[in-house]
């Protein structure tokens, strides 16, 4: 017996403005995908097509021909979202964006003789889930994807670079212009810091006290989020376990207004709400689809994937604030390293690996020289010994399998291994 059936549509119009060290490009992409999905005995059967050439009744007949008596598990009851939401209002003009990035790139090039590349994508998207032939849940979203890359070398032949990426809801043209300008100031600051970078001394390699800047902490909790996916091996054993210190609180907040990943319904059409994942260091819940929620006696609302079997993951992951100031954390560290910015972060067996963009030595409670650190390894066991969490939070936007996700986090202090 069919448990669930719907029809889904996704539309996207993207205008990309690119400045590549003097060259300018404007390209537009329009995509439309429609599909029909059936879930029987917890198993998904999905047929989709791009461009709308195939009628929905043809897709429905096709998907029904695929349905078998396979058993993948039960399918949890859920509060399905009904209604329409619109997020975002307006984009800046093409001319304004071209003039802005041209001026900013010429400014940084004059100061540091670096190559400058900027990509600004203006995304207009629409996600719709139809049930029983009627529009059940619809989301219209306007957001901007900004990438800035600066690459050059010092007078001694050392490579220097700064790479930043951000996404934001297009609430107003002026807010987007201000954000791009602020990103450039940050990129220029990073270039200035790495010009005088020094190598890690042999005796500094190994275990050390580490402060992770807000962006780096955000990358860390992104990797922790993979552990909280019920499809991750041994995730069931984490429930009720104390993996973090008191005061470590981790939530998924899908309705956070200022984030580009804001969602009022997930890709199964389930209404989203705040989910407490970790409370005072104890794992209380995992991310869930309707299938995994039934298996774990939890609630769904974390599904990603319209045209593939939905996968559970966070939407807006928030690490709660502590009571330390950023300055106090540095002052209380006699010897260690400050890790600011992330090139790569991965979850490995037993630890989280981070490749930093910028690192500084901390000596007697003060930031000292810029240090080139190849990688930082943080054992999962070390997460229990996080000794300080800052008050101020910052936002980081990333992608997971082409899904936009957000992490909001403060600085933290812990132990790790630098190389």
């Amino acid at each position: 017996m069919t448990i669930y059936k719907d029809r889904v549509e996704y539309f996207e119009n993207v205008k990309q403005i690119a400045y590549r060290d003097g060259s300018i490009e404007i390209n537009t992409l329009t995509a439309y995908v429609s599909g029909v999905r059936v879930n029987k005995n917890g198993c998904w059967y999905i047929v989709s097509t791009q461009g709308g050439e195939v009628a929905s009744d043809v897709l429905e007949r096709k998907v029904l021909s695929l349905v078998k008596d396979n058993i993948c598990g039960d399918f949890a009851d859920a509060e399905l979202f009904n209604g329409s939401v619109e997020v975002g209002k307006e984009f800046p003009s093409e001319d304004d964006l071209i003039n802005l990035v041209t001026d900013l790139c010429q400014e940084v090039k004059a100061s540091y003789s670096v190559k400058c590349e900027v990509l600004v994508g203006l995304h207009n998207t629409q996600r719709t889930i139809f049930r029983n032939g009627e529009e059940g849940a619809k989301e219209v979203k306007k957001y901007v994807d900004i990438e800035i890359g600066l690459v050059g070398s010092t007078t001694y032949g050392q490579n220097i670079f700064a790479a930043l990426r951000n996404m934001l809801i297009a609430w107003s043209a002026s807010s987007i212009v201000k954000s791009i300008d602020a990103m450039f100031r940050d990129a220029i600051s990073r270039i200035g810091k790495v010009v005088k970078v020094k190598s890690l001394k042999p005796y500094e390699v190994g275990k050390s006290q580490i402060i992770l800047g807000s962006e780096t902490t955000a990358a860390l909790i992104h990797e922790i989020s993979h552990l909280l996916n019920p499809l991750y091996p041994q995730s069931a054993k984490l429930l009720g376990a104390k993996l973090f210190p008191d005061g470590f609180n981790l939530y998924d907040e899908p309705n956070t207004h200022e984030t580009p990943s804001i969602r009022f319904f997930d890709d199964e059409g389930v209404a989203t709400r705040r989910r407490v994942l970790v409370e005072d260091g104890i794992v209380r819940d995992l991310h869930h689809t309707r299938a995994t929620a039934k298996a774990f006696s939890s609630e769904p609302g974390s599904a990603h994937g319209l045209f593939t079997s939905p996968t559970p993951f966070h939407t807006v992951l928030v690490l709660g604030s502590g009571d330390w100031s950023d300055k106090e954390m540095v002052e209380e560290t006699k010897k260690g390293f400050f890790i600011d910015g992330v090139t790569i972060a991965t979850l490995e067996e037993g630890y989280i690996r981070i490749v930093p963009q910028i690192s500084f030595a901390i000596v007697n409670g003060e930031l000292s020289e810029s240090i080139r650190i190849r990688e930082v390894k943080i054992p999962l066991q070390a997460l229990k010994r996080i000794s300080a969490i800052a008050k101020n939070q910052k936002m980081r936007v990333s992608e997971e399998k082409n899904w936009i996700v957000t992490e909001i986090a403060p600085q933290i202090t812990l132990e790790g291994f630098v190389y």
Side-chain angles (χ1 to χ4, degrees):
M1 180 178 68
T2 298
I3 296 176
Y4 179 82
K5 182 179 72 174
D6 65 20
R7 179 166 63 88
V8 290
E9 293 182 351
Y10 181 78
F11 169 83
E12 183 168 16
N13 177 270
V14 184
K15 180 168 289 185
Q16 187 186 75
I17 297 167
Y19 179 97
R20 305 181 195 273
D21 207 32
S23 300
I24 298 172
E25 308 158 10
I26 299 177
N27 294 295
T28 301
L29 166 70
T30 299
Y32 170 76
V33 184
S34 61
V36 176
R37 312 186 297 183
V38 172
N39 189 290
K40 181 180 179 182
N41 297 328
C43 302
W44 282 100
Y45 304 90
I46 303 171
V47 173
S48 68
T49 183
Q50 185 174 354
E53 295 88 354
V54 182
S56 60
D57 59 335
V58 175
L59 294 176
E60 183 170 340
R61 288 196 296 271
K62 177 65 175 177
V63 75
L64 290 175
S65 72
L66 300 176
V67 177
K68 308 295 181 185
D69 291 326
N70 301 334
I71 297 177
C72 301
D74 293 328
F75 202 51
D77 293 333
E79 177 189 345
L80 299 180
F81 183 91
N82 287 290
S84 180
V85 294
E86 186 169 350
V87 182
K89 293 182 179 180
E90 63 173 344
F91 297 118
S93 70
E94 292 177 18
D95 289 343
D96 286 346
L97 287 172
I98 290 170
N99 292 335
L100 174 66
V101 299
T102 299
D103 290 345
L104 291 171
C105 276
Q106 288 177 346
E107 176 185 338
V108 70
K109 191 176 181 68
S111 300
Y112 292 102
S113 298
V114 294
K115 293 183 178 180
C116 180
E117 183 172 301
V118 184
L119 303 178
V120 180
L122 309 178
H123 295 251
N124 196 337
T125 68
Q126 182 172 300
R127 179 172 59 117
T128 313
I129 298 177
F130 297 86
R131 309 185 196 99
N132 302 318
E134 298 182 356
E135 184 179 286
K138 180 179 179 181
E139 173 199 80
V140 177
K141 182 184 289 186
K142 292 183 175 69
Y143 71 93
V144 183
D145 186 357
I146 307 159
E147 296 182 69
I148 297 174
L150 307 177
V151 180
S153 60
T154 67
T155 54
Y156 302 103
Q158 294 178 322
N159 293 328
I160 56 173
F161 76 97
L164 294 176
R165 186 180 187 186
N166 192 22
M167 300 183 199
L168 62 154
I169 298 296
W171 293 117
S172 69
S174 61
S175 66
I176 294 166
V177 169
K178 289 179 181 177
S179 180
I180 294 174
D181 186 79
M183 287 178 66
F184 254 94
R185 303 305 162 197
D186 190 4
I188 292 170
S189 174
R190 294 188 182 202
I191 283 290
K193 291 173 182 176
V194 299
V195 165
K196 299 179 181 179
V197 67
K198 295 185 178 181
S199 298
L200 191 67
K201 297 178 178 63
Y203 61 83
E204 294 176 318
V205 173
K207 189 175 182 180
S208 179
Q209 190 85 346
I210 295 172
I211 297 177
L212 301 184
S214 299
E215 181 184 342
T216 319
T217 304
L220 178 80
I221 63 172
H222 179 112
E223 299 310 312
I224 290 172
S225 186
H226 286 290
L227 293 173
L228 304 179
N229 182 337
L231 303 180
Y232 189 84
Q234 309 299 318
S235 62
K237 295 182 179 180
L238 300 180
L239 287 169
K242 190 171 180 63
L243 302 184
F244 311 94
D246 293 342
F248 188 100
N249 299 293
L250 195 62
Y251 315 99
D252 191 11
E253 302 266 13
N255 304 147
T256 305
H257 179 78
E258 68 271 17
T259 63
S261 57
I262 181 174
R263 297 202 302 177
F264 295 94
F265 61 92
D266 72 0
D267 285 340
E268 291 183 316
V270 177
T272 58
R273 56 173 56 90
R274 184 175 190 262
R275 185 187 298 273
V276 178
L277 297 164
V278 179
E279 186 177 40
D280 270 335
I282 300 173
V283 178
R284 299 297 187 187
D285 202 358
L286 307 174
H287 310 299
H288 284 297
T289 63
R290 294 185 69 175
T292 64
K294 184 69 174 181
F296 283 78
S297 300
S298 185
E299 295 185 357
S302 309
H304 292 266
L306 282 178
F307 305 104
T308 59
S309 297
T311 298
F313 203 59
H314 70 262
T315 300
V316 182
L317 191 66
V318 181
L319 175 59
S321 296
D323 53 8
W324 289 72
S325 74
D326 294 350
K327 184 179 179 182
E328 286 173 341
M329 291 171 69
V330 175
E331 290 175 344
E332 290 297 316
T333 304
K334 297 302 179 184
K335 185 176 178 59
F337 296 96
F338 184 89
I339 309 299
D340 188 20
V342 178
T343 301
I344 299 172
T346 57
L347 176 63
E348 309 287 346
E349 187 173 352
Y351 64 90
I352 293 171
R353 174 177 173 262
I354 295 172
V355 178
Q357 277 200 22
I358 306 172
S359 307
F360 296 92
I362 303 174
V363 179
N364 295 324
E366 294 184 353
L367 291 182
S368 181
E369 56 197 8
S370 178
I371 299 293
R372 181 179 292 106
I373 293 177
R374 180 167 52 87
E375 64 180 7
V376 176
K377 292 184 177 180
I378 300 173
L380 297 181
Q381 289 294 323
L383 298 175
K384 293 181 180 179
R385 299 186 294 277
I386 293 173
S387 57
I389 300 176
K391 301 173 186 176
N392 298 324
Q393 299 167 307
K394 292 184 180 178
M395 183 176 75
R396 171 184 181 260
V397 181
S398 57
E399 283 188 301
E400 181 68 30
K401 299 179 181 177
N402 295 320
W403 318 317
I404 301 173
V405 294
T406 304
E407 297 89 37
I408 299 174
Q411 287 186 181
I412 62 172
T413 301
L414 75 172
E415 290 183 342
F417 294 83
V418 299
Y419 300 94

